Amino acid sequence: MLRWKSGVPARNWAVPSTPVAIDQQYCMYHPHVIGAMTGQNIQISNADPVNHNIHPVPQTNEEWNDTQSPGEAPKLRSFAKQEIMVPVKCNVHPWMRAYIGVVSHPFFAVTGEDGSFTIKGLPPGTYTIQTWHEKFGTQEQQVTVGAKESKAVDFSYKG
Ligand SMILES: [Cu+2]
């Protein structure tokens, strides 16, 4: 997960109307890491033939948990405040874990299988970009982007 940590102008950035999906399947969360804007809906679904109980454990947002039985309709939930990251557990299956990054602006991304990411539409300026990894923590870099300019930013983690 990456986001612009500082430099983004304070603005009422539009919240995407499309929810971010998280699915409970084979007793795992898919995907393992998601990013959502503050106030953006997170759509939780259960594809398994068993009950799950999704239970985010935030530090600054309100905590909640929800039982979802097999075949039950997807639920929509959201977080009001920025929080990097909200760990998610399942009250039924102790090994289930996911992480939700809640960001106050739309300039964030979750890396793909190959580690790549794209963040579009950033206004020109100087920014600090921060990465987050479940095991290897955070890293930061400063980047200046001009109007209509594309910049490549590389991070490497030693495992
Ligand atoms: Cu579960």
Side-chain angles (χ1 to χ4, degrees), residues 43-59:
Q43 182 177 294
I44 304 140
S45 48
N46 181 4
D48 281 334
V50 297
N51 279 347
H52 288 292
N53 187 298
I54 186 167
H55 183 182
V57 202
Q59 300 281 322

Side-chain angles (χ1 to χ4, degrees), residues 19-23 30-31 34 41-45:
V20 186
I22 187 162
D23 193 17
H30 300 278
I34 62 170
N41 274 323
I42 296 163
Q43 182 177 294
I44 304 140
S45 48

